Amino acid sequence: VTSAEAPPDGRCGLTPRLLVSAGTFPRPQSDAGNLEVVALELVANASDLYYVISAAENNGPFFSPILAGGVLRVPLGGGQPPLVASGFMFSRPVLTATSVILGERNAFPNNDNDTIVSIPIDGGAPTTIVTLPDSLLAGPVTDGTYVYFTDQGGIEAVPLAGGSTSPASVTLASSLSAAIGVFGQRLLFFLPQGDVDSVPLPPKFNGPVTTLGTSAAGPTDVMPCGTDACWLGEGADAMMRIAPTGGAIAVMPLPSALASPVN
C-alpha cells in the first residue's frame, strides 16, 4: 500500500508494530526441558485482538505432545494480554457483541468430551453451550441464533442460548467437513477433498445440500470477503473465493503461504 492508503486511525501503518511479546505467554508446568509456546488462531473486533496459544514439548523432528493451551486478548493499541480461557486445545474464537464463543478440544487420553462454551466479552465465567458426544472437527460459527459445528455425526446446530450439557441439536448434513462458515442465509461447509457445499438457514434436519463447486484439497481459514466466502487452499499458497449462491471459484495465488489471516 502507499502512504495515502494507510489507515487513518493510527492503529496500523506501513511499519509493523509489536502488540504483545511472546515472553508474556503463560507457560505450563512441565518436566520437559524445552517448551515451545506459539500463537495460532487470530481474530479481532473493533478494540481487541484475540489469539489462541499452544504449549508443546520441543523435541525436534519427533512428535511433540501438546501440554496446554489458552486464549488471550490484547488491545489493538498494545498492552498486557489478559487470559480469556485456559485448557488444552482451542478453536478460533468467535466474537459476538456480547460474548466470545470457543470450541475446546480436550486432552487425549483422558477421553473428556469436547465442549463449546460462551464467555462474556468483558470477562467472566464460561457457560456451556453444548457438550459433544465425540470430537469437534470444525467450527464453531454462529448466525446469532444458532451455533454450528462439525463432529463425527456431521454438520450440527444447537441454540446459542445453551445452558444445558445436552441441548436439542439439529443434524443439517452427514458430511464431515474441514471448515464451515455462515454467509447470509446459507451455511457453507468445505470438505477435506475440496468440495464446497451449502445448506439453507435456519437449520433443518437433513435439509437439501447444494454443491457449489470444487477447489483444492485441505481448505482452511474460511472468512467473509464482503458477501462472498474466502478461504485458504493449495497449501495456503492461494486464496479462494465464491459467492454463497454458487458460481465459479476464483483463485488468487499468493506470493507465499499464509498462516491464520485476520479479515
Side-chain angles (χ1 to χ4, degrees), residues 39-259:
L40 301 171
E41 304 282 4
L42 308 172
V43 63
N45 60 16
S47 59
D48 298 290
L49 176 72
Y50 292 76
Y51 57 101
V52 176
I53 62 165
S54 180
E57 297 178 12
N58 187 348
N59 294 325
F62 302 103
F63 174 73
S64 299
I66 295 174
L67 301 176
V71 180
L72 292 92
R73 178 183 75 243
V74 63
L76 294 180
Q80 290 299 312
L83 186 67
V84 176
S86 61
F88 182 58
M89 293 178 62
F90 289 94
S91 63
R92 172 179 289 193
V94 177
L95 306 182
T96 74
T98 59
S99 64
V100 183
I101 300 172
L102 297 171
E104 182 178 6
R105 299 175 175 93
N106 289 300
F108 179 85
N110 294 340
N111 294 322
D112 293 334
N113 294 98
D114 291 358
T115 58
I116 297 175
V117 302
S118 174
I119 300 173
I121 196 77
D122 55 357
T127 298
T128 298
I129 295 175
V130 62
T131 299
L132 278 61
D134 45 47
S135 300
L136 178 66
L137 302 179
V141 298
T142 185
D143 61 1
T145 303
Y146 287 87
V147 173
Y148 305 93
F149 59 92
T150 304
D151 63 8
Q152 298 290 346
I155 314 293
E156 311 279 358
V158 294
L160 176 59
S164 170
T165 57
S166 57
S169 62
V170 177
T171 300
L172 283 69
S174 59
S175 306
L176 302 183
S177 65
I180 59 176
V182 174
F183 297 90
Q185 295 302 306
R186 303 197 71 84
L187 179 77
L188 272 60
F189 47 100
F190 301 76
L191 305 187
Q193 69 270 26
D195 287 353
V196 182
D197 292 348
S198 76
V199 293
L201 299 177
K204 296 180 180 180
F205 179 76
N206 285 337
V209 176
T210 302
T211 298
L212 302 181
T214 300
S215 69
T220 63
D221 294 285
V222 175
M223 69 198 81
C225 297
T227 58
D228 291 348
C230 287
W231 67 97
L232 292 180
E234 299 184 356
D237 288 332
M239 183 74 74
M240 312 293 184
R241 181 170 185 160
I242 194 171
T245 53
I249 296 178
V251 180
M252 298 164 279
L254 301 170
S256 60
L258 288 181

